[in-house]
Amino acid sequence: MSTHNLEDMGCGTSSVKDTRSEQVLKAAVVIQNWYRGYSTRLKARQRYALTIFQSIEYADEQGQLQLSNFFSFMLENYAHIHEKDPEIVARLFGSTLQDYKDRQDYVAFVDVPNSYNGPRLQFPLTFTDIDLLVDAFKQQQILHARYVLEVLFETKKVLKQMPNFTHVKTSPSKEITICGDLHGKLDDLLLIFYKNGLPSGSNSYIFNGDFVDRGRNSIEILMILFVSFLVYPNDLHLNRGNHEDFMMNLRYGFTKEILCKYKIHGKQILQILEDVYTWLPIGTIIDNEILVIHGGISESTDLNLLHRVERHKMKSVLMPPTPLDGDPDTNVKKKKFNTTILPREVKTSASHSEQLTKHEWEQVIDILWSDPRGKRGCYPNTSRGGGCYFGPDITSKVLNRYQLKMLIRSHECKPEGYEICHDGKVITIFSASNYYEEGSNRGAYIKLSSGMAPRFFQYQVTRTTCLRPLYQRVNAIESSAIRILRERIIARKTDLIHAFQLQDRSKSGKLSMSQWAFSMENTLGLNLPWRSLSSRLVTTDTNGDVNYMSSFQDIHIQKPVKEAQSTLIETLYRYRSDLQIIFNVIDSDHSGLISVEEFRSMWKLFNSHYNIQIDDFQIDELAERMDLNKDGSIDFNEFLKAFHVVHKLDKLNKSGSSLA
């Protein structure tokens, strides 16, 4: 046989084919390695973005908790509050508002007009009403205020009969579903019900707190949950979260949502909600083995005490028990300010029987606010400013003490919707997908039954039929995170410049990367990877040194009062949420107005407590300018809204759209 014939049979080309196969394989490996590296870099960027979101979220919560100290300080030093408006004292530190007189005082005078075309509830409620509400809310209908009030009163009546911890039983044939934070994200709740079924006698649920705030549909979620609870009180269980708290709602959006959707009856709804929150159970125990609470535990968690505590006395985490006249621990340092702010003893209408003890209050704070960590021991939760961090040893110790096997909690956003830690003894479940930004995280829920391992179900609500590519999602998440971080930076511009200049001894306008990162962390305290983030925040020279003034490029705070000094503007912007809450508390008639004198007095008190270096004459001048029609009153909500950050990109977009 000739060589030519052998080649025709393919024998001569085998080596060529082998070479080609090898090249294809090498190319595939190169592409695979590139893609893995690309995917890893994207995931790292996503992780950094989530770290920014979480750090700023926890820093805000820390500021919110610090307000509790301010309110105590305010009562000790603000003369007006005792003489002019004792109701504020009762609201902050007294008993819950008197039992709202009678239900009829609220409901009887709220008529449902014939023109109303939303859902109409029939009392006593049935499964049909749950279905009705779900369908109506899918169509973005608003439930009439009369029905909202009726549901709240009915819910409170049933909750008052319940223990602090609900004990539930499962069996191999009867599972229970546990959902974590929903935070006003109605689409997530509807998706859970679509995948898992509506609550019923054979489909039990536990919703583990934080139903409200942040999202746009908190009242809709509350109404679905409360109506389901009223129809199936033995099969739908509600635990209180740290956001079921009227003071938290003032900062995080639910109060605003109610007043916007219910312009006439919103204030009554908020008043009753304030009371309903206090009657929510603080935990659930499944099969005497699994503890379900919103936050976590501490080394001193006493479940026996928590079973006995009068939970309705816990109005707000911002309202710790206050020493009354004659209390042995009423030993507060007094300060003098001016003629309108005087040292006074705290006098409230509350008695010891209307308050939790300090120890009881701390026990409840721990289970609502604490977070697990890998490090052993129990130490202060410095990120949030409340509760503690608890390690695996604390988990084992507390679970063993009460013959429990597992702790299920929520309270923390997790990229995959859930997380298992402490050798499988602690599970975090978070049910609000896209919590920070679309694509930022998945939501999840757990299904449990006696003798079976927990089963996890994940999901992600999307606006389109399929998720955008990973790189687009990461770009959107990262851009949003950098945007809010820049706003945090510009709010501390004066402090940061001072910190930079202390390091810049040669006055070159430049710092090494480590000096810049140190100054950022030391001033902002966000515990962020500043070196990794630097490429998105500042410009550097060829030597890698940072042009530190570029930290503030393309962004500034809008000045509603042009003559005001930058330090004052930054301070008002930085503390605008705190000030809004304080002024809303003082504004007991919900008029949106406070007197110029009240503004001056409160600001000087705030100034002193937070050690802010702003001259009194600046505040006096500002107060005069805020009184636009010179009637002695200030519309503080509108004024504080005027302090906002302007991004260069926003201005370009606006000018582009106006040209179009």
Side-chain angles (χ1 to χ4, degrees):
M1 190 179 290
S2 68
T3 308
H4 179 73
N5 290 336
L6 284 171
E7 287 177 355
D8 286 345
M9 294 172 66
C11 298
T13 60
S14 61
S15 60
V16 175
K17 286 182 179 178
D18 288 347
T19 303
R20 284 178 181 166
S21 297
E22 193 175 325
Q23 287 173 340
V24 168
L25 190 61
K26 282 182 179 177
V29 169
V30 168
I31 292 169
Q32 188 180 55
N33 287 340
W34 173 86
Y35 182 76
R36 282 176 178 167
Y38 172 73
S39 183
T40 300
R41 287 191 295 276
L42 281 179
K43 293 282 176 63
R45 284 170 56 195
Q46 185 178 28
R47 192 168 59 251
Y48 288 147
L50 291 177
T51 302
I52 292 170
F53 282 124
Q54 201 164 61
S55 295
I56 290 176
E57 177 189 4
Y58 291 175
D60 282 343
E61 287 184 343
Q62 186 179 111
Q64 179 80 345
L65 286 171
Q66 286 170 356
L67 271 179
S68 65
N69 297 328
F70 174 76
F71 284 123
S72 299
F73 184 74
M74 178 177 83
L75 287 179
E76 291 155 18
N77 295 281
Y78 187 33
H80 286 189
I81 206 168
H82 301 277
E83 294 148 8
K84 190 175 172 185
D85 209 342
E87 282 184 25
I88 296 175
V89 181
R91 186 178 188 209
L92 295 182
F93 293 96
S95 58
T96 52
L97 293 177
Q98 49 178 315
D99 216 354
Y100 305 114
K101 301 170 186 174
D102 188 342
R103 169 188 190 137
Q104 290 307 310
D105 291 341
Y106 279 80
V107 178
F109 302 106
V110 183
D111 292 321
V112 181
N114 292 331
S115 59
Y116 170 70
N117 57 7
R120 292 176 181 266
L121 303 182
Q122 298 290 325
F123 292 86
L125 297 164
T126 66
F127 180 82
T128 305
D129 294 292
I130 303 174
D131 238 353
L132 190 70
L133 270 189
V134 168
D135 287 342
F137 292 156
K138 281 180 183 176
Q139 297 169 44
Q140 301 181 335
Q141 293 180 344
I142 301 289
L143 183 63
H144 194 276
R146 181 187 176 101
Y147 298 124
V148 173
L149 291 166
E150 289 267 27
V151 168
L152 292 177
F153 275 112
E154 283 293 318
T155 301
K156 179 187 167 185
K157 187 169 76 175
V158 179
L159 286 174
K160 288 178 76 170
Q161 311 306 314
M162 298 188 65
N164 292 349
F165 286 84
T166 311
H167 288 255
V168 301
K169 291 281 186 185
T170 66
S171 66
S173 61
K174 184 173 182 181
E175 291 183 308
I176 193 163
T177 302
I178 306 169
C179 301
D181 301 37
L182 286 166
H183 278 301
K185 289 184 168 286
L186 179 62
D187 287 343
D188 287 293
L189 180 61
L190 297 178
L191 185 57
I192 292 168
F193 286 162
Y194 173 77
K195 292 166 71 74
N196 195 60
L198 287 169
S200 70
S202 58
N203 192 23
S204 298
Y205 279 89
I206 298 171
F207 287 91
N208 197 27
D210 280 13
F211 321 125
V212 301
D213 277 335
R214 303 188 188 280
R216 288 182 288 184
N217 296 106
S218 293
I219 190 63
E220 287 79 10
I221 285 177
L222 268 191
M223 286 298 102
I224 290 174
L225 295 183
F226 286 169
V227 168
S228 300
F229 167 70
L230 291 171
V231 177
Y232 300 108
N234 299 317
D235 299 289
L236 187 131
H237 311 284
L238 302 170
N239 291 343
R240 188 177 184 177
N242 63 307
H243 278 263
E244 279 67 63
D245 182 313
F246 80 98
M247 294 296 286
M248 295 293 285
N249 298 164
L250 278 168
R251 181 189 290 259
Y252 293 105
F254 187 34
T255 299
K256 187 176 179 181
E257 178 189 331
I258 292 288
L259 294 175
C260 180
K261 290 178 179 175
Y262 297 97
K263 291 180 171 61
I264 298 173
H265 302 290
K267 290 161 189 173
Q268 293 97 309
I269 290 170
L270 288 170
Q271 278 187 321
I272 299 160
L273 257 176
E274 197 173 314
D275 208 24
V276 172
Y277 286 158
T278 68
W279 288 104
L280 285 166
I282 54 178
T284 305
I285 296 175
I286 304 171
D287 298 325
N288 294 320
E289 292 183 342
I290 300 170
L291 175 64
V292 185
I293 51 179
H294 181 71
I297 53 178
S298 72
E299 60 188 347
S300 61
T301 292
D302 183 343
L303 290 184
N304 294 325
L305 172 63
L306 286 166
H307 270 80
R308 298 190 309 268
V309 74
E310 295 178 85
R311 67 181 186 274
H312 65 281
K313 294 179 180 177
M314 181 71 163
K315 276 180 68 70
S316 171
V317 295
L318 294 183
M319 303 299 143
T322 308
L324 307 177
D325 288 351
D327 284 357
D329 40 334
T330 305
N331 182 22
V332 185
K333 291 180 182 177
K334 307 294 181 197
K335 294 184 182 180
K336 288 186 180 179
F337 300 98
N338 61 19
T339 55
T340 62
I341 302 175
L342 302 170
R344 299 181 65 92
E345 292 298 321
V346 178
K347 293 183 180 180
T348 80
S349 58
S351 66
H352 280 301
S353 64
E354 294 170 327
Q355 298 190 83
L356 294 179
T357 66
K358 186 170 183 292
H359 178 60
E360 289 170 336
W361 183 80
E362 288 170 346
Q363 288 276 312
V364 178
I365 290 291
D366 282 343
I367 65 169
L368 293 182
W369 281 83
S370 297
D371 295 308
R373 288 295 180 265
K375 179 181 170 184
R376 289 173 61 84
C378 183
Y379 40 102
N381 192 328
T382 50
S383 295
R384 295 188 192 267
C388 70
Y389 293 129
F390 60 99
D393 54 324
I394 302 300
T395 295
S396 296
K397 177 181 168 185
V398 172
L399 292 181
N400 290 339
R401 186 188 302 157
Y402 298 102
Q403 292 83 53
L404 297 167
K405 293 182 179 178
M406 185 185 292
L407 167 63
I408 296 178
R409 42 89 63 178
S410 302
H411 196 42
E412 286 184 288
C413 176
K414 298 297 178 183
E416 295 303 314
Y418 74 94
E419 185 177 84
I420 304 170
C421 63
H422 292 186
D423 302 317
K425 293 177 181 176
V426 174
I427 295 174
T428 297
I429 189 74
F430 196 86
S431 299
S433 67
N434 309 306
Y435 179 57
Y436 295 116
E437 181 72 31
E438 186 172 3
S440 64
N441 65 285
R442 299 168 90 179
Y445 58 88
I446 308 171
K447 289 183 80 70
L448 279 175
S449 62
S450 179
M452 303 291 287
R455 294 186 294 141
F456 300 90
F457 296 82
Q458 297 166 289
Y459 54 85
Q460 192 154 15
V461 172
T462 59
R463 293 175 188 164
T464 54
T465 52
C466 60
L467 279 174
R468 289 179 294 171
L470 179 62
Y471 77 92
Q472 287 185 5
R473 281 180 280 147
V474 170
N475 284 344
I477 296 164
E478 188 179 51
S479 296
S480 181
I482 293 297
R483 182 186 181 89
I484 65 167
L485 180 56
R486 281 187 171 280
E487 291 175 6
R488 203 81 179 192
I489 290 168
I490 199 68
R492 300 297 297 273
K493 181 177 179 179
T494 302
D495 295 334
L496 282 167
I497 290 174
H498 179 66
F500 294 151
Q501 289 174 344
L502 283 177
Q503 299 272 349
D504 180 23
R505 297 186 180 172
S506 62
K507 304 189 186 307
S508 64
K510 297 180 181 180
L511 294 175
S512 69
M513 183 62 74
S514 59
Q515 287 175 318
W516 175 80
F518 172 81
S519 300
M520 294 293 283
E521 183 55 40
N522 208 35
T523 304
L524 298 176
L526 293 174
N527 195 26
L528 289 174
W530 293 106
R531 288 168 176 270
S532 301
L533 296 171
S534 61
S535 62
R536 298 297 306 269
L537 297 173
V538 288
T539 59
T540 55
D541 64 14
T542 52
N543 297 320
D545 290 334
V546 175
N547 301 304
Y548 55 75
M549 289 306 290
S550 66
S551 305
F552 317 109
Q553 63 189 358
D554 302 336
I555 185 171
H556 70 273
I557 300 173
Q558 186 70 37
K559 282 188 179 185
V561 181
K562 290 182 180 178
E563 297 82 359
Q565 295 182 18
S566 295
T567 310
L568 175 60
I569 296 297
E570 288 168 26
T571 303
L572 284 169
Y573 175 76
R574 187 159 80 247
Y575 289 108
R576 69 196 185 286
S577 295
D578 295 333
L579 290 167
Q580 195 157 21
I581 291 169
I582 292 164
F583 292 142
N584 269 299
V585 168
I586 296 170
D587 176 31
S588 55
D589 64 353
H590 301 287
S591 66
L593 301 172
I594 57 171
S595 71
V596 170
E597 189 59 32
E598 281 176 320
F599 174 81
R600 284 195 183 111
S601 299
M602 189 52 57
W603 173 261
K604 288 171 185 176
L605 195 64
F606 189 84
N607 210 10
S608 172
H609 183 68
Y610 281 83
N611 197 24
I612 298 165
Q613 305 303 316
I614 301 291
D615 295 331
D616 285 354
F617 80 86
Q618 288 189 58
I619 294 303
D620 291 340
E621 186 180 358
L622 186 65
E624 292 297 330
R625 291 182 177 277
M626 286 167 65
D627 182 11
L628 299 176
N629 55 3
K630 305 303 174 190
D631 65 350
S633 296
I634 293 170
D635 184 336
F636 57 88
N637 285 308
E638 285 303 314
F639 175 74
L640 291 171
K641 223 185 281 180
F643 290 85
H644 62 277
V645 166
V646 177
H647 295 259
K648 184 178 180 183
L649 185 61
D650 292 343
K651 295 181 87 173
L652 290 173
N653 287 340
K654 279 182 185 175
S655 60
S657 59
S658 61
L659 285 170

